[in-house]
Amino acid sequence: MKGIINGFSKLSKQQKIQWVAETFGQNPTEMAEHISSWQHADAAQQKVLDGFTENALTNYPLPYSIAPNVMVNGKVYAVPMVIEESSVVAAASSAAKFWLNKGGFHADILGTVKLGQVHFRWLGQPETMQYLFPEIKAALLASADDITANMRNRGGGITDVELLDFTAEEPGYYQIRASFETCDSMGANFINSVLERFGDTLEFFFDTRTDLSDHERDVEVIMCILSNYTPDCVVRAWVECPVGELEDLARHAGLPGPEAVDRICTAVRIARLDPYRATTHNKGIFNGIDAVILATGNDFRAVEASGHTYACRDGQYRSLSKAWVENGIFRFELELPLALGTVGGLTALHPLAKRSLEILGNPSARELMMIVAAVGLAQNFAAVRSLVTTGIQSGHMKMHLTNILNHLGATDEQAAAAQQYFADKTVSFSAVREYLGQQ
Ligand code: MEV
């Protein structure tokens, strides 16, 4: 049947491109050339990229942008962002500029604990397991000594090992939950290596206990893996300012400062009480966060997964940010888990990830957490401010106008004229096409 192939991964890159183009392309020659053309001109650079995944054919480009003027705890950053959505970088930059002369963003780290789990089945008496656990814990820690040595030298390592008993919910199911400090690395490989060692040690521990019955010597390790939910690896970022100094908050919309503040606070409260709105509200936050995570070679799926779980930690999915006025001070705050690294993994391998970290002044993981949270907050502030004043579409479609003009093949002159023409008009694909048709 067309499209089924054995041994695809064993083909050379050229053969893979050829097979895809010949099997699926309407014009195979054109498709093969087009796919190949996105490869890096420098073969050594391309080899690095190809090394990241299996079956790489080419590169998939996305714009690499900068949001300047992001002041966090008094230090100003130009923040690299990788994202395709037209208005995101503009919105982050505008919010950063807005807060620049109002103290910028503030941020602190609430914790940096990362977690991993060994899930196993043991069918003896739970009291026996409780009795054995101190010995098991000592054996686990000792067995991972060689893996943790470097991390311990850097000030990290395993910080706790607990036993959790889930036998009431699933017969014989226990969990070893280990806590880790991974310093400046995201630590996924480190944590997973330790956990797999724990799994082997657990089996060895029970297997070699002559004081246990045959039945009790039988332990079944189901899986060993880190948890991407890191509720104790959390950063908080906020902006604050007397309401009286926010007259410029919605001047563009002709709205007095206090009224705009009230509408923003109401919008954020709505996102705290309604999961439908909360999802979109948090999506706006992750517009900024994911873009910096990608630009710095971090794992945006891990960050998203953890952030969304954190958003429903009290049982209902809610906004990750809060906004309120107290004693005349407006405060807009974002709190979320961010398990990031600034050494190791892709941060060291991806040429532009390395460059991003350099642009940010080679921050520690903690500093990067604060920068990323500040950008998430900037994004959220900009989105909510637009939503409660002008609406999101005018800014969004103004940015999208460039995409439409490019798509319709407008010349530079036509594009410049169109930008002027649509400055006070509603942008839509058909309106732009009609406008160009009349030129
Ligand atoms: C669009 O990508 C993001 C927003 O929908 C976020 C929000 O509604 O808060 C504008």
Side-chain angles (χ1 to χ4, degrees), residues 85 277 280-281 283-284 287 383 387 392:
E85 191 175 324
R277 174 57 204 150
T280 317
H281 181 96
K283 188 272 184 183
N287 273 344
L387 286 169
I392 209 74

Side-chain angles (χ1 to χ4, degrees), residues 242-296:
V243 174
E245 290 173 24
L246 286 169
E247 266 318 314
D248 57 343
L249 185 59
R251 189 172 287 137
H252 60 292
L255 212 60
E259 211 173 302
V261 166
D262 180 58
R263 289 175 67 80
I264 287 176
C265 293
T266 307
V268 179
R269 284 198 303 277
I270 291 169
R272 288 197 72 74
L273 67 88
D274 172 37
Y276 289 85
R277 174 57 204 150
T279 306
T280 317
H281 181 96
N282 288 344
K283 188 272 184 183
I285 293 172
F286 282 107
N287 273 344
I289 289 185
D290 287 354
V292 189
I293 299 292
L294 259 178
T296 56

Side-chain angles (χ1 to χ4, degrees), residues 95 109 137 151 153 160 242 247 266 274 289 296 336 340 361 422:
I109 302 290
K137 181 173 170 176
M151 195 61 88
N153 286 338
D160 199 11
E247 266 318 314
T266 307
D274 172 37
I289 289 185
T296 56
L336 86 166
L340 305 184
F422 281 101

Side-chain angles (χ1 to χ4, degrees), residues 40-300:
H40 202 287
D42 178 339
Q45 297 272 10
Q46 188 55 49
K47 199 164 168 214
V48 172
L49 296 173
D50 289 347
F52 294 162
T53 73
E54 179 97 346
N55 294 344
L57 302 188
T58 190
N59 307 316
Y60 182 95
L62 283 174
Y64 178 93
S65 314
I66 287 283
N69 301 315
V70 180
M71 184 156 96
V72 186
N73 294 341
K75 186 168 163 186
V76 179
Y77 300 90
V79 183
M81 300 176 77
V82 172
I83 188 155
E84 86 299 345
E85 191 175 324
S86 14
S87 52
V88 168
V89 178
S93 308
S94 134
K97 191 80 182 292
F98 179 83
W99 285 102
L100 191 61
N101 64 358
K102 297 174 181 66
F105 298 88
H106 310 272
D108 57 20
I109 302 290
L110 306 185
T112 56
V113 180
K114 288 166 186 156
L115 299 171
Q117 303 168 306
V118 177
H119 306 270
F120 66 98
R121 183 159 37 225
W122 186 76
L123 293 167
Q125 287 301 319
E127 303 74 46
T128 311
M129 176 57 83
Q130 294 298 343
Y131 164 77
L132 289 171
F133 187 66
E135 267 185 82
I136 294 174
K137 181 173 170 176
L140 295 177
L141 288 171
S143 73
D145 253 6
D146 58 326
I147 307 177
T148 59
N150 275 342
M151 195 61 88
R152 279 184 282 123
N153 286 338
R154 282 152 53 192
I158 304 165
T159 54
D160 199 11
V161 177
E162 295 169 88
L163 174 75
L164 303 181
D165 179 343
F166 289 96
T167 52
E169 286 120 284
E170 168 75 27
Y173 168 44
Y174 295 88
Q175 189 186 108
I176 285 169
R177 186 174 294 178
S179 306
F180 298 87
E181 171 54 60
T182 61
C183 305
D184 283 333
S185 61
M186 196 267 186
N189 284 332
F190 166 73
I191 293 174
N192 288 333
S193 300
V194 169
L195 294 171
E196 289 192 1
R197 178 68 60 80
F198 279 5
D200 292 345
T201 307
L202 198 63
E203 281 173 348
F204 182 80
F205 179 91
F206 280 98
D207 208 30
T208 53
R209 284 296 289 229
T210 47
D211 56 335
L212 298 179
S213 66
D214 282 357
H215 161 74
E216 287 172 328
R217 277 207 295 277
D218 201 15
V219 66
E220 188 187 352
V221 172
I222 307 287
M223 58 189 160
C224 311
I225 186 74
L226 63 71
S227 170
N228 283 120
Y229 184 40
T230 55
D232 295 312
C233 183
V234 172
V235 56
R236 180 190 292 147
W238 69 96
V239 285
E240 60 186 0
C241 165
V243 174
E245 290 173 24
L246 286 169
E247 266 318 314
D248 57 343
L249 185 59
R251 189 172 287 137
H252 60 292
L255 212 60
E259 211 173 302
V261 166
D262 180 58
R263 289 175 67 80
I264 287 176
C265 293
T266 307
V268 179
R269 284 198 303 277
I270 291 169
R272 288 197 72 74
L273 67 88
D274 172 37
Y276 289 85
R277 174 57 204 150
T279 306
T280 317
H281 181 96
N282 288 344
K283 188 272 184 183
I285 293 172
F286 282 107
N287 273 344
I289 289 185
D290 287 354
V292 189
I293 299 292
L294 259 178
T296 56
N298 275 281
D299 182 344
F300 66 91

